[in-house]
Amino acid sequence: MGKNTPSTIDRLPTELKELIGKLRREGRTIDEIRSKLFELDADVSRSALGRHVKSLAEVQIDMRRSRDMALALVGQFGEELDDKVARANLELMQSHVMRVMSSVIENEQGEMVLPVFSPKELMELSRSISSIASAAKTQDDRIEKAVKRATEQARQEAATNAVTAARAQGLSAAGVQAIRHAVLGDA
C-alpha cells in the first residue's frame, strides 16, 4: 500500500467538491463538470474526476439501499415508529460511517490508500458518530420508559383483578388490602 496522499479532488476547496456533487446530481457529465472546474481555475484530470464521480455514485447507491431497507422495514412492521425499525436505522448508519472510515481509495498514482479527511470532514464524521450514539441512547431510554409503563400497567391490572376476585370470594377489607399490597408493594 502506498502513502496516504490525497487526490487532486480531495485537495480542492470544500465549495468546489460540493459543486461537483451538485452538478452530478443535476445530471451533468464528467466533461461538463470538468469544463466548469476549468472556468473556476481548478485543474483536475478527467480520470481523477471520473474516480470521484464513481465514488459519489457508490455513496448514492448505499444511501438509496439504506433508505429502501428502512422503507421495507417500515412496511413490514407498520407506519408507526417501531423499535426494530429505529434500531435497524441506527445499525445502517453505523455501518455506513464505518464503511466511510475504513474505505480504500485509489490515488492519482493508482495506489490503494485510506482516505484523507479534511478537518471539516473529520468534524462532520465526529458529529455523525455523536448523533448515532445520541440516537441509540434516546432509543434505549424510550424502550426503558415503555417497559416501565407496561410493567406498571400490568401491575395495576393484576392488583385490580386480584382485588375483584378477593371481594367476589367474600374476603374482608383487610384481606383485600393485604392482597393489593402483595401485588403492588404499596401501603
Side-chain angles (χ1 to χ4, degrees), residues 16 19 23 28 31-44:
L16 290 181
L19 176 64
L23 292 172
R28 303 289 177 87
D31 290 326
E32 290 172 331
I33 296 170
R34 190 163 178 246
S35 294
K36 183 64 175 175
L37 291 174
F38 278 138
E39 288 175 21
L40 299 171
D41 294 324
D43 186 21
V44 175

Side-chain angles (χ1 to χ4, degrees), residues 73-86 142:
L73 287 171
V74 168
Q76 182 178 354
F77 296 110
E79 286 298 319
E80 178 182 321
L81 181 60
D82 185 87
D83 295 334
K84 292 178 185 176
V85 174
R142 199 173 134 249

Side-chain angles (χ1 to χ4, degrees), residues 19-94:
L19 176 64
I20 292 169
K22 177 182 178 278
L23 292 172
R24 192 61 185 165
R25 284 188 303 275
E26 291 174 356
R28 303 289 177 87
T29 67
I30 291 172
D31 290 326
E32 290 172 331
I33 296 170
R34 190 163 178 246
S35 294
K36 183 64 175 175
L37 291 174
F38 278 138
E39 288 175 21
L40 299 171
D41 294 324
D43 186 21
V44 175
S45 72
R46 190 176 194 288
S47 61
L49 185 58
R51 284 190 299 273
H52 182 73
V53 166
K54 181 181 176 189
S55 72
L56 288 176
E58 289 169 355
V59 168
Q60 285 178 326
I61 289 168
D62 284 346
M63 290 174 66
R64 194 174 309 118
R65 187 177 305 133
S66 295
R67 185 183 66 238
D68 291 346
M69 288 171 64
L71 289 173
L73 287 171
V74 168
Q76 182 178 354
F77 296 110
E79 286 298 319
E80 178 182 321
L81 181 60
D82 185 87
D83 295 334
K84 292 178 185 176
V85 174
R87 182 62 60 196
N89 283 332
L90 287 172
E91 289 175 13
L92 288 170
M93 185 61 181
Q94 287 171 327

Side-chain angles (χ1 to χ4, degrees), residues 1-5 102-105 107 110-115:
M1 187 135 115
K3 61 184 181 176
N4 198 2
T5 307
S102 63
S103 64
V104 177
I105 58 173
N107 67 12
E111 301 168 319
M112 301 308 286
V113 296
L114 290 173

